[in-house]
Amino acid sequence: GADERLGTALATYVHQVGERSGMRVEVAIDDIALDIPANIAHELLRIAQEATANARRHSSARNLWVVYRASPDGVLLRIADDGRGLRPETGRRAGDGVGLTIMHERAERLGGSLTVRPRVGGGTVVECLVVPSAAKRPIGVSTTAQGLEASPAPSIAAVVA
């Protein structure tokens, strides 16, 4: 399904960025249980690319953590870095303004939400959540009975929080 391609494309992209930039990258993907529509997959990949590019260009991050989980209960995409973080006065990093606006617009098109917040320990967390109630329909077709709550927590969850 489209989300299998998304999980693979996401992992490939962030690992390539890590190799080029010298950032250490950790990826946790749990998307086996769901086929999501191609339009959702496309927008989520673009959000991930923008968040990753912002971390590389603006934050001087050494580490990047990416979590992508898809189930009938919703889709979660979280990109975290340990870079400079957000400016307290603006809630943005230097040079981030247009990218953040575009990410918010993409999330809204999906009926989802996008939050950008400081990471505990320094850096930034960008999180996009799309749930069926927001999208007014199920996210995709479940291939198992498991939902988000039944999925094992990624080993990097504590670092990303």
Side-chain angles (χ1 to χ4, degrees), residues 3-158:
D3 73 319
E4 290 170 348
R5 289 190 299 277
L6 174 59
T8 302
L10 185 58
T12 300
Y13 175 77
V14 296
H15 282 297
Q16 286 174 345
V17 169
E19 288 172 15
R20 287 195 306 264
S21 67
M23 277 191 296
R24 189 173 64 84
V25 174
E26 288 189 45
V27 181
I29 294 176
D30 179 8
D31 64 354
I32 297 169
L34 189 73
D35 287 329
I36 64 170
N39 67 312
I40 293 177
H42 174 79
E43 296 288 0
L44 288 171
L45 181 59
R46 294 294 178 245
I47 289 169
Q49 289 172 333
E50 183 63 37
T52 302
N54 284 344
R56 180 181 55 81
R57 283 194 299 253
H58 305 302
S59 78
S60 301
R62 291 188 312 274
N63 296 284
L64 186 73
W65 298 275
V66 178
V67 175
Y68 168 63
R69 296 169 73 188
S71 85
D73 295 329
V75 176
L76 169 71
L77 172 67
R78 183 182 299 135
I79 313 279
D81 68 67
D82 63 351
R84 278 197 290 272
L86 304 172
R87 291 175 163 178
E89 68 276 11
T90 64
R92 298 179 170 186
R93 287 188 282 229
D96 256 5
V98 173
L100 286 176
T101 300
I102 291 169
M103 287 190 291
H104 278 284
E105 289 171 355
R106 289 184 185 282
E108 286 173 13
R109 278 200 292 268
L110 298 177
S113 63
L114 186 105
T115 57
V116 181
R117 60 181 166 84
R119 178 182 159 269
V120 175
T124 304
V125 177
V126 175
E127 187 170 277
C128 182
L129 182 63
V130 182
V131 295
S133 59
K136 304 289 191 270
R137 63 189 181 285
I139 295 293
V141 179
S142 175
T143 57
T144 74
Q146 291 184 336
L148 278 179
E149 70 286 343
S151 301
S155 60
I156 63 173

